[in-house]
């Protein structure tokens, strides 16, 4: 199935689809229009003849094709033109160190996504044996894969099926996003199958030609008054046809019509579940209690919920012909930043979405709760913003919005904090701004305004490296 790729907030028209979809472009556009009419918060109208993506990333599939929406911090055109080139891997150890908070509550401003390292072992000079020469790449010269960024951020979500996926960056780069999700589900099925499919004893009453189990005398008399050779019995059968397996087979059947790359694998997987029926009641089957011996089923059932019940961050409306798997990038970025800071600072008590402070009290009733993304008690507040600051209009403001500053000022006041961080994504579009802000010292003029504050409150900007 053909796929059309865009980034967040990008608009497109029927004409843009024609290069890929040709004569089907008009039909596909009409299907997307129908989806947008019912879900304007997910896909909107820029004009009468153009649709526009919102802040959600993922896929929208209709009968005629797939719309793939990717994170906005990547240059999609440059990537598409060069997606055959070999991707470079970032240094994970350096990556983690960047999120480390030192004893002075400072964060590193030095980070390079990639480096090449050449080792010389046969040099004649003794002191230069095993000499390493490193070459660092600027962001402009790197070839980021936006799908890798999305999948790696999804892997940091708690209680999500993405967390355990072992799919490689190379596989992700070569496949449409929807096929990536299907591949991850099939990999999980392979893992479950190797560990052993779950079976359970189910009571079965049947009029048999042989004696098996317990003879049900009353039913036997009613059914076999003439057929003396039969036995109406009840027995416990150790069967594969149980709720979790029915859900897996139903998911495979759902995906079979939506894939081209994985169709053969899905058919093969369904053959492995040949004696299993399709689920007739998803809600009832999902309520099945799994014993701890089969806890490896939990991840694949999470995938089943995503595909069969749309259990993601986003609910959508419309006809059954459309299927959407969409995630709000603000939430993904906030979650990812929190995950990385906790990973890099295990000894610090970092609280996420810490509540308990209110902006207003009205008739002794508190309202307008304040919830900073990250809070280290009595030390610092960090708030993540999935934005690309633009300082071209007003260099003095560095692209920082006034509403964000009001929010930071409220945090500093209510939490009595003297150091607060605004966190933006580090990418090609924010790299130059990071270099400018390295030498800038931004302070709130807070003396006499904030509680217990006899000095200025420092506002710092941190550009968070992303997992491309």
């Amino acid at each position: 199935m053909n796929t059309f790729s865009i980034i967040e907030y990008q608009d497109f028209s029927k004409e843009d689809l024609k290069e890929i979809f040709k004569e089907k472009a008009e039909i596909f556009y009409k299907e997307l229009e129908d989806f947008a009419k019912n879900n304007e918060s997910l896909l909107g109208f820029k004009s009468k003849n153009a649709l526009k993506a919102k802040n959600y990333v993922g896929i929208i599939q209709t009968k005629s094709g797939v719309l793939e929406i990717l994170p906005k911090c990547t240059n999609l055109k440059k990537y598409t033109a060069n997606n055959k080139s070999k991707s470079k891997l970032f240094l994970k150890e350096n990556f983690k160190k960047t999120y480390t908070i030192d004893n002075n509550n400072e964060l590193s401003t030095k980070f390079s996504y990639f480096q090449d390292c050449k080792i010389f072992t046969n040099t004649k000079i003794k002191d230069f044996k095993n000499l390493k020469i490193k070459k660092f790449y600027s962001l402009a010269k790197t070839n980021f894969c936006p799908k890798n960024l999305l999948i790696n951020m999804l892997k940091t979500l708690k209680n999500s099926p993405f967390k355990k996926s072992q799919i490689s960056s190379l596989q992700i780069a070569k496949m449409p996003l929807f096929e990536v999700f299907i591949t991850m589900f099939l990999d999980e099925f392979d893992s479950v199958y190797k560990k052993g499919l779950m079976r359970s004893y189910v009571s079965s009453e049947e009029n048999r030609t042989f004696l098996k189990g317990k003879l049900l005398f009353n039913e036997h008399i009613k059914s076999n008054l003439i057929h003396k050779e039969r036995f109406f019995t009840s027995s416990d059968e150790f069967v594969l046809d149980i709720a979790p397996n029915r859900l897996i087979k139903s998911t495979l059947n759902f995906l079979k019509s939506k894939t081209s790359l994985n169709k053969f694998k899905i058919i093969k997987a369904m053959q492995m579940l040949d004696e299993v029926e399709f689920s007739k009641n998803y809600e009832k089957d999902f309520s099945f209690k799994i014993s701890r011996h089969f806890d490896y089923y939990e991840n694949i059932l999470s995938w089943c919920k995503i595909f069969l019940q749309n259990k993601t961050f986003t609910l959508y409306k419309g006809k059954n012909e459309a299927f959407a798997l969409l995630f709000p990038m603000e939430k993904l970025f906030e979650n990812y930043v929190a995950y990385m800071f906790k990973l890099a600072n295990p000894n610090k008590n970092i609280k996420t979405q810490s509540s308990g402070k209110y902006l207003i009290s009205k008739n002794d009733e508190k309202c307008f709760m304040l919830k900073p993304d990250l809070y280290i008690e009595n030390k610092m507040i960090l708030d993540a913003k999935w934005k690309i600051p633009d300082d071209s209009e007003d260099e003095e403001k560095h692209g920082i919005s006034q509403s964000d500053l009001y929010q930071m000022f409220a945090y500093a006041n209510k939490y009595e904090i003297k150091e607060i961080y605004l966190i933006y994504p580090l990418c090609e579009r924010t790299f130059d701004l990071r270099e400018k802000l390295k030498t800038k010292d931004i302070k709130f003029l807070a003396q006499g305004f904030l509680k217990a504050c006899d000095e200025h409150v420092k506002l710092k900007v941190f550009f968070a490296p992303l997992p491309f």
Side-chain angles (χ1 to χ4, degrees):
M1 188 172 280
N2 288 331
T3 299
F4 181 70
S5 298
I6 58 173
I7 61 171
E8 296 168 82
Y9 298 107
Q10 183 178 332
D11 58 85
F12 62 96
S13 66
K14 212 178 296 178
E15 293 300 315
D16 298 319
L17 300 175
K18 283 184 177 177
E19 185 180 345
I20 296 172
F21 289 88
K22 297 183 171 56
E23 67 277 359
K24 285 188 176 181
E26 194 164 335
I27 300 169
F28 182 47
Y29 186 82
K30 178 67 172 63
E31 291 167 349
L32 291 174
E33 268 190 332
D34 291 340
F35 180 88
K37 286 173 186 174
N38 293 309
N39 303 277
E40 284 203 53
S41 62
L42 308 178
L43 182 66
F45 291 86
K46 187 193 177 184
S47 65
K48 188 179 178 181
N49 299 310
L51 292 169
K52 186 176 181 179
K54 296 294 182 76
N55 60 311
Y56 289 85
V57 293
I59 60 101
I60 300 170
Q61 186 187 45
T62 69
K63 275 186 173 180
S64 306
V66 179
L67 177 66
E68 189 175 89
I69 308 170
L70 298 167
K72 65 187 176 186
C73 63
T74 49
N75 187 328
L76 192 60
K77 286 184 179 178
K78 188 175 80 171
Y79 172 74
T80 305
N82 301 297
N83 63 3
K84 290 181 182 178
S85 65
K86 188 178 179 181
S87 296
K88 303 176 182 70
L89 297 175
F90 57 78
L91 295 172
K92 293 186 178 179
E93 197 55 40
N94 285 357
F95 193 75
K96 183 178 169 183
K97 284 178 184 176
T98 310
Y99 286 88
T100 302
I101 303 169
D102 66 21
N103 294 330
N104 297 318
N105 293 334
E106 294 288 339
L107 292 170
S108 172
T109 57
K110 297 177 181 178
F111 177 80
S112 178
Y113 273 104
F114 306 105
Q115 71 176 37
D116 275 353
C117 185
K118 192 171 183 180
I119 302 176
F120 296 92
T121 55
N122 298 320
T123 52
K124 294 178 181 178
I125 305 172
K126 186 179 179 182
D127 292 340
F128 288 96
K129 192 177 181 182
N130 297 330
L131 176 68
K132 295 181 181 180
I133 295 180
K134 296 178 180 179
K135 178 183 177 184
F136 288 87
Y137 290 83
S138 70
L139 288 174
K141 293 181 180 179
T142 56
N143 185 25
F144 290 137
C145 174
K147 283 177 285 188
N148 274 333
L149 170 61
L150 176 56
I151 296 299
N152 287 333
M153 290 180 85
L154 287 170
K155 285 181 180 181
T156 65
L157 290 174
K158 278 185 179 180
N159 304 319
S160 80
F162 306 98
K163 203 170 185 72
K164 295 181 180 178
S165 175
Q166 299 297 315
I167 190 168
S168 69
S169 298
L170 192 61
Q171 283 179 289
I172 294 169
K174 289 181 177 179
M175 283 189 272
L177 188 58
F178 195 23
E179 294 289 358
V180 172
F181 291 139
I182 295 173
T183 300
M184 291 167 83
F185 170 75
L186 291 172
D187 287 346
E188 190 62 36
F189 175 76
D190 285 343
S191 174
V192 167
Y193 186 79
K194 286 171 183 175
K195 290 174 183 176
L197 292 173
M198 193 191 314
R199 292 176 179 267
S200 185
Y201 284 102
V202 176
S203 181
S204 172
E205 294 182 0
E206 192 177 337
N207 199 15
R208 298 181 170 95
T209 56
F210 53 91
L211 186 61
K212 181 181 180 181
K214 180 183 177 183
L215 182 68
L216 300 176
F217 192 74
N218 291 336
E219 285 77 5
H220 176 70
I221 295 296
K222 289 176 188 176
S223 304
N224 298 322
L225 192 61
I226 298 172
H227 296 283
K228 305 292 184 182
E229 76 286 359
R230 293 183 179 273
F231 304 91
F232 202 102
T233 62
S234 172
S235 63
D236 289 335
E237 305 286 340
F238 195 52
V239 297
L240 205 58
D241 188 18
I242 56 173
N245 294 333
R246 287 196 291 269
L247 291 166
I248 294 170
K249 189 168 182 178
S250 295
T251 306
L252 288 165
N253 190 54
F254 170 77
L255 296 174
K256 187 172 70 171
S257 61
K258 299 184 178 298
T259 180
S260 53
L261 295 179
N262 287 294
K263 195 176 285 287
F264 176 75
K265 286 184 179 179
I266 288 176
I267 292 170
K268 188 177 177 182
M270 289 180 72
Q271 289 172 348
M272 296 174 185
L273 298 170
D274 192 44
E275 61 185 271
V276 178
E277 299 293 326
F278 294 117
S279 176
K280 295 176 182 176
N281 187 331
Y282 295 158
E283 289 293 338
K284 183 181 176 183
D285 285 349
F286 275 120
S287 66
F288 184 92
K289 301 295 180 186
I290 296 175
S291 70
R292 59 184 179 85
H293 300 294
F294 292 97
D295 58 1
Y296 55 83
Y297 257 75
E298 288 178 4
N299 215 47
I300 196 167
L301 290 177
S302 295
W303 274 113
C304 293
K305 283 182 180 178
I306 285 175
F307 290 121
L308 298 178
Q309 293 187 317
N310 190 40
K311 292 289 183 179
T312 61
F313 290 120
T314 313
L315 294 175
Y316 63 91
K317 301 173 185 176
K319 299 176 183 178
N320 292 332
E321 284 86 351
F323 171 77
L325 192 55
L326 297 166
F327 306 88
M329 269 309 299
E330 287 93 342
K331 295 290 182 188
L332 277 185
F333 183 60
E334 287 168 13
N335 175 84
Y336 165 73
V337 166
Y339 171 86
M340 287 305 299
F341 273 111
K342 285 187 172 184
L343 183 70
N345 304 277
N347 298 323
K348 293 188 184 292
N349 184 21
I350 300 176
K351 297 178 182 177
T352 55
Q353 296 287 316
S354 177
S355 58
K357 304 286 184 181
Y358 293 83
L359 200 56
I360 289 175
S361 176
K362 185 176 66 174
N363 298 329
D364 295 326
E365 185 179 335
K366 294 177 179 179
C367 54
F368 295 100
M369 182 187 288
L370 295 173
K371 293 173 74 174
D373 293 330
L374 296 166
Y375 173 53
I376 303 175
E377 195 164 358
N378 301 324
K379 289 186 178 179
M380 63 194 300
I381 281 176
L382 305 97
D383 211 60
K385 303 292 180 188
W386 180 249
K387 296 177 180 179
I388 308 295
D390 182 9
D391 65 341
S392 58
E393 291 185 9
D394 190 342
E395 286 192 20
E396 292 300 316
K397 292 181 179 178
H398 308 297
I400 301 171
S401 75
Q402 196 155 321
S403 60
D404 289 344
L405 286 181
Y406 288 158
Q407 186 183 16
M408 296 298 102
F409 191 81
Y411 287 155
N413 183 26
K414 285 295 180 181
Y415 285 85
E416 300 180 28
I417 294 290
K418 297 177 183 178
E419 288 197 341
I420 50 180
Y421 274 92
L422 268 173
I423 301 174
Y424 295 112
L426 177 62
C427 59
E428 184 179 339
R429 293 166 64 186
T430 60
F431 186 75
D432 290 339
L433 182 58
R434 184 186 76 158
E435 295 306 300
K436 290 179 187 177
L437 285 172
K438 276 182 182 179
T439 58
K440 301 290 182 181
D441 194 12
I442 306 171
K443 295 177 180 178
F444 278 118
L445 301 176
Q447 287 169 300
F449 291 96
L450 300 188
K451 296 177 185 177
C453 185
D454 55 359
E455 57 186 84
H456 292 302
V457 173
K458 293 180 182 177
L459 170 69
K460 300 180 181 180
V461 180
F462 175 66
F463 290 89
L466 300 174
F468 286 100

